[in-house]
Amino acid sequence: MVSSVHAQEGTAEQLVAGMDKADMSYRQLMEIMGVASGMMHEGILRQNKQMVQEGAETILTHPAPNHVPWEIMPEEHQKGFKASLVKFDRLLDRYTEATAEAAAKGDWPGASQSLQDLNTSCVTCHAAWKDRAR
C-alpha cells in the first residue's frame, strides 16, 4: 500500500522543504499529477489495481517544483495560496490513499467515489487560484 511521505501539518514552507526538488516548474508538476490521476481513472475503469497503485504512488510521492510554488502568485495572493497548498495537499493525500485502498480491495465503486472526491478537490483549488497565477 502506498502512503504519503509528506508532512501533513505545518506551513507551506515546511511542506515544500520536506519534499525532493524536481527539475520542473509548478505547471509541469501539475501536468504530471493530471496524468497520474488519469492513470488511476483508467485503472478503475479496467479494474486494474496496479494502474491505480502506480498513479497513486506518483501523486503521493510527488516532488516540489524547482521554485517555491507561491511564486506563481502576485504578492498580495501568496499568503492565501500558501494556506491553500497546505489544505489541499492534505486532501490530495487523503483521497488518493482512499482510492488506492479501495482499489486494492477490489471495491471499484468506492475507488471511483474517492477518485471523484480527489478530482473535485483539484478542480476546487484550480478554480480558486488559476486565474490569479502569473
Side-chain angles (χ1 to χ4, degrees), residues 16 19-26 29 63-69:
V16 171
M19 297 175 167
D20 291 334
K21 296 286 186 252
D23 186 23
M24 68 181 88
S25 69
Y26 190 69
L29 177 61
N66 59 7
H67 59 88
V68 291

Side-chain angles (χ1 to χ4, degrees), residues 1 5-6 12 20 22 26 43 49-50 62 78 85-86 89 93 98 100 105 107 109 117-118 125 132:
M1 169 51 30
V5 296
H6 304 305
D20 291 334
Y26 190 69
K49 296 174 184 180
Q50 185 64 37
H62 71 85
Q78 288 184 8
L85 284 174
V86 173
D89 188 70
D93 290 350
K105 294 176 187 173
D107 176 8
D117 293 339
L118 173 64
C125 185
R132 297 179 190 182

